[in-house]
């Protein structure tokens, strides 16, 4: 049985499916100085690897177990804890939200959940005594009971227990054991991508099927599901189609994360401070020609690698050296 403890940390704390281009190849990319994305003050210089929003609070996690919180009133970032939910300084690699709480995962079996309303942290460290390096965590939207934790040994650990009780876990290896880099859950699908360029899915939480990508030429690093369709990034952007996979390579940077907004817009972040964007249907008045034509726009508001992204108000990306940018 999982050893669960609770403590307070420094007080309280959709989109439509799309194709990347009409011909399946990259649209022309523009360049710019960062447009509306701006770096903001960060209370840490440690690498930040994950970001998620619950309610009106946003959390970022990273090296040495640092957990940051963005306060809704002043819009400033503060350190919730510098040493992780267990106090042992394990690096944290991922964060995911069910709308009310944020699950956090990292090295040495680090696993915890932050209640945004109360600031309480419940630790589920080393589920079933598994102390692998956890790389990603995915939650069934609006559920909060189904948790999928991926690791660097190619395993996915699944729990469907109740919110406030100790959890039981099952364990699966979807592929060959290659590191799973990211996982996501939406529209009745749970999808994971690994370092061999493979994409796996489950619809029942138990059996996994490989669904691509036969011609991926690099590690896949990020994945999202929108409108029932899977989209993945790494050395390029890949979008699931009825006939296989569409791909685009609108920039020369390796991409680490991708999100699709409710308007159908696509945003991705990656190496060298790259922010890639393609607008959706809600194009504002005065938009640039590139936005009207639905073309990719590449900006680099910072020069450091960006690892994670969350859309909303504001949109936030985080990365190396404690970098935080907002739009």
């Amino acid at each position: 049985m999982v050893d669960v403890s609770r403590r307070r940390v420094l007080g309280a704390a959709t989109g439509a499916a799309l194709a990347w281009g009409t011909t399946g190849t990259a649209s022309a990319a523009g360049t710019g100085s960062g447009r509306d994305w701006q770096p903001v003050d960060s209370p840490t210089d440690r690498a930040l690897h994950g970001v998620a929003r619950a309610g009106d609070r946003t959390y970022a996690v990273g090296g040495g177990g640092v957990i940051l919180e963005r306060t809704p009133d002043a819009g400033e970032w503060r350190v919730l804890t510098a040493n992780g939910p267990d106090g042992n300084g394990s690096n944290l690699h991922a964060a995911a939200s069910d709308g009310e709480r944020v699950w956090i995962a990292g090295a040495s079996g680090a696993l915890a959940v932050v209640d945004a309303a109360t600031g309480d942290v419940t630790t589920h460290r080393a589920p079933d005594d598994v102390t692998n390096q956890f790389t990603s965590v995915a939650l069934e939207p609006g559920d909060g009971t189904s948790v999928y934790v991926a690791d660097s040994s190619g395993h996915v650990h699944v729990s469907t227990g109740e919110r406030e009780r100790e959890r039981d876990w099952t364990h699966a290896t979807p592929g060959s054991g290659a590191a799973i880099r990211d996982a996501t859950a939406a529209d009745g699908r749970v999808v994971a991508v690994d370092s061999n360029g493979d994409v796996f899915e489950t619809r029942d939480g138990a059996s996994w099927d490989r669904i691509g990508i036969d011609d991926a030429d690099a590690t896949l690093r990020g994945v999202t599901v929108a409108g029932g369709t899977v989209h993945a990034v790494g050395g390029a952007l890949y979008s699931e189609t009825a006939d296989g996979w569409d791909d685009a390579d609108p920039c020369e940077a390796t991409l680490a994360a991708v999100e699709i907004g409710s308007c159908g817009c696509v945003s991705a972040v990656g190496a060298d401070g790259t922010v890639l964007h393609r607008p959706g249907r809600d194009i504002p008045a005065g938009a640039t020609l590139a936005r009207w034509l639905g073309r990719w726009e590449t900006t680099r508001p910072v020069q450091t690698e960006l690892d994670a992204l969350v859309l909303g108000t504001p949109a936030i990306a985080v990365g190396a050296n404690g970098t935080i940018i907002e739009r």
Side-chain angles (χ1 to χ4, degrees):
M1 189 64 68
V2 180
D3 178 20
V4 180
S5 61
R6 178 175 292 249
R7 66 189 180 93
R8 183 175 296 273
V9 180
L10 294 182
T14 48
L18 74 158
W20 299 126
T22 57
T23 64
T25 57
S27 301
T31 58
S33 60
R35 299 190 60 84
D36 297 332
W37 286 96
Q38 298 294 333
V40 300
D41 290 337
S42 173
T44 185
D45 59 3
R46 300 180 192 174
L48 298 173
H49 302 299
V51 62
R53 178 177 288 118
D56 58 2
R57 298 176 184 272
T58 305
Y59 299 87
V61 301
V66 67
I67 302 176
L68 306 183
E69 179 191 54
R70 187 184 190 275
T71 57
D73 45 3
E76 297 178 347
W77 290 86
R78 63 168 181 157
V79 176
L80 279 184
T81 176
N83 301 307
D86 303 300
N88 62 4
S90 295
N91 292 333
L92 300 175
H93 299 298
S97 172
D98 64 8
E100 299 176 2
R101 308 187 310 166
V102 171
W103 280 79
I104 295 165
S108 302
L111 186 64
V113 58
V114 181
D115 188 314
T118 65
D120 287 339
V121 175
T122 302
T123 177
H124 296 268
R125 185 181 182 277
D128 279 359
D129 297 323
V130 175
T131 56
N132 295 356
Q133 175 168 282
F134 295 146
T135 55
S136 184
V137 57
L139 311 175
E140 292 281 9
D143 181 352
T145 62
S146 298
V147 183
Y148 300 80
V149 182
D151 71 29
S152 61
S153 297
H155 308 306
V156 179
H157 313 277
V158 183
S159 173
T160 56
E162 297 297 327
R163 276 175 176 253
E164 302 301 333
R165 297 176 57 187
E166 296 182 353
R167 289 178 169 267
D168 294 326
W169 295 84
T170 59
H171 314 274
T173 306
S176 63
I180 294 179
R181 303 300 300 268
D182 195 21
T184 191
D187 302 328
R189 309 177 72 179
V190 180
V191 181
V193 296
D194 72 10
S195 58
N196 283 343
D198 293 321
V199 184
F200 304 96
E201 79 160 337
T202 181
R203 294 177 184 262
D204 60 11
S207 59
W208 292 80
D209 297 310
R210 182 183 181 276
I211 59 173
I213 302 173
D214 291 337
D215 56 352
D217 58 1
T219 292
L220 297 177
R221 296 188 57 187
V223 64
T224 192
V225 176
T229 299
V230 179
H231 311 278
V233 294
L237 300 100
Y238 301 91
S239 181
E240 185 184 36
T241 70
D243 300 322
W245 292 83
D246 191 15
D247 68 274
D249 189 11
C251 67
E252 297 180 354
T254 298
L255 299 171
V258 59
E259 295 289 342
I260 299 175
S262 58
C263 65
C265 62
V266 184
S267 295
V269 298
D272 302 320
T274 298
V275 178
L276 185 66
H277 180 75
R278 197 181 78 172
R281 61 179 179 268
D282 296 333
I283 301 175
T288 64
L289 178 61
R291 289 188 176 183
W292 277 113
L293 296 178
R295 297 168 62 183
W296 296 102
E297 296 178 308
T298 303
T299 60
R300 292 181 174 85
V302 292
Q303 300 302 309
T304 53
E305 179 174 356
L306 297 171
D307 284 339
L309 168 72
V310 62
L311 299 183
T313 305
I316 297 169
V318 301
N321 304 323
T323 298
I324 303 173
I325 60 173
E326 298 183 358
R327 183 191 63 201

